[in-house]
Amino acid sequence: MSTQASPASGASETVPVASAGVSDRWEKWGDRLNPLVVKEVRQGLRTRVFWVCFGLLLLSCLVLSLIAYVNTQGTSYSREGRTYFFSFFVCLGLVHFGVIPFNAYRSLAREREDETWSLLLLTGLGPRRILGGKVTSFLVQAALYASAVGPFLLFSYFLNGIDLPTILMVLLLGGAWLVFLTFASVCAATLADGRMGRAFVRFALVAALVVTFFQTLTFIFVMTEGRGRGFSFDRDFFLGMSAGLWLLLSDGWLLFEAAVARLSLVTENYTRHPRRVLVGQALLTFLGVTAVWWFLDRDKDVAGIAGILGGLHLIFTGLFTVSDVDGQSRPLRAGTRPWSLFRPGALRGFRLAVLLLLGWAAGCAGLLWASDVSAESVRMGMALVALALYGIIYLSVALLLGRMPKSGRFASPAAVRLLFVAAGALGAGVPPLLSVFLGLEAGDELINLLNPVVGTVNFGRYDWNDPSGLRMPPELLLCVGLVALLCAFAADRVLVRREREAHAP
């Protein structure tokens, strides 16, 4: 009897080997990209929350489809597509803007509460790849939810009353908002270390998700109702949508880098990436504002609105930049120079925030004054510069209040942020009350000279009694600049002293 294997048996033996080779190849590629993505996706798909939400989502869309079929049966021409599209989007929004961000927050918060984060670091992936894997896994789950609702959203188009460009624009904005909320939730999970702090962050996140959910639905409803008779790519809407997408994506990237920095070791240059992203965001945004300003024939409203919103954004982000701890680890000190503003330390963070605020105000004010030399442009430019100076003053005051005492109780990042809020509230609320008690106008120029809210408004307000139209003369802006210079110099010197004390053996 021959012992040679038959062709049939040989073929049956080679198939498992080939399939095993393909599967091994896919597993190697998956491990090379980010092995945590596969783990998190598998773990997420096995949870009861996913299947309950997925089942309820499909059931709700099916019921709405049956209702739409019954209501449109027997009618020759229906225009109820907008109504049912919004209903389907509400079902998807409950998952995308509520469940997914909160689960992303809980996934990272649970790792820190159960003290399993150190075990993840032992894998050698690092905080960036670990957070990237968690975010990607939840975005994959969101894509699965969207693929289930997608046919129903397309079904609303055949009910008339809404066009495809409107559907695509809504889905694009909704996807960008989903990415931003996921990044923000992951960043929120890194803010607190204690039990009380985590409970407060969780409550604040839930409240923010609820409020923003209804605000998002209101915006989508207005958008679909206003565009129901045909979507028009008009210039203002296109520019507004582009600005909104850029803000969501760039801020989401900044929040992700901030979360990575908070989970990095103190011996690493943990502030390099978030500060680079912040500087890159400011530069690219200013280039975009300049391009739009030039495209719209030097429209000064573009520079004015962008200057105010950008200044507020830089003050808010600067609050987190200047509230870093004092000093840095020994391996990083050798390569640190006065211009090394991307390295850790509150001193370099404060200098970077001051430069960004002054540079943004100067750039936007230059665009305004390049448009024309009218009183309106001068007033708006002075208001932009005043806003930046007020931001420098109150950031410096918060640092001085936290670093001047010998005790380090108020030098922590959370304490500095609370001091900034308290100082800003006092500076905005006390001068108007003092004006009322003295029998003066609530917006008196001299008493509210250092008021961050009323002072900015006064610099940009038109005065009908003055031929120049300026309610606040440039000399008062110079006084505010001198105060900002003194406060910034004092805060810089205090931070230098605290860093030397932190580096002392």
Side-chain angles (χ1 to χ4, degrees), residues 286 303 307 314 354-370 381 384-386 388-389:
F286 181 74
L314 288 177
V354 170
L355 290 178
L356 286 177
L357 280 171
L358 293 179
W360 181 264
C364 293
L367 293 180
L368 278 169
W369 295 332
L384 296 181
V385 176
L389 295 177

Side-chain angles (χ1 to χ4, degrees), residues 31-36 124-134:
D31 294 340
R32 185 177 301 177
L33 294 176
N34 196 332
L36 193 63
L125 293 176
R128 183 179 306 279
R129 297 191 67 189
I130 293 175
L131 290 183
K134 286 184 174 294

Side-chain angles (χ1 to χ4, degrees), residues 431-448:
L433 293 177
L434 184 61
S435 301
V436 174
F437 288 143
L438 295 178
L440 303 175
E441 184 182 357
D444 185 77
E445 294 83 358
L446 294 179
I447 295 181
N448 291 278

Side-chain angles (χ1 to χ4, degrees), residues 93-107 138 142 177-186 205 209:
L94 285 172
V95 179
H96 274 190
F97 309 141
V99 177
I100 293 295
F102 184 75
N103 284 343
Y105 164 80
R106 284 297 304 151
S107 176
F138 283 101
W177 184 238
L178 164 68
V179 174
F180 174 77
L181 287 179
T182 306
F183 281 134
S185 300
V186 170
L205 178 65
L209 290 177

Side-chain angles (χ1 to χ4, degrees), residues 282-308 358-374 376-382 384-385:
L283 291 176
L284 292 176
T285 303
F286 181 74
L287 292 177
V289 170
T290 305
V292 174
W293 170 79
W294 184 268
F295 176 73
L296 297 180
D297 297 330
R298 300 188 175 187
D299 188 359
K300 54 179 173 294
D301 292 335
V302 174
I305 295 174
I308 293 293
L358 293 179
W360 181 264
C364 293
L367 293 180
L368 278 169
W369 295 332
S371 302
D372 53 52
V373 290
S374 62
E376 182 180 0
S377 298
V378 174
R379 288 186 291 105
M380 183 57 68
M382 291 174 59
L384 296 181
V385 176

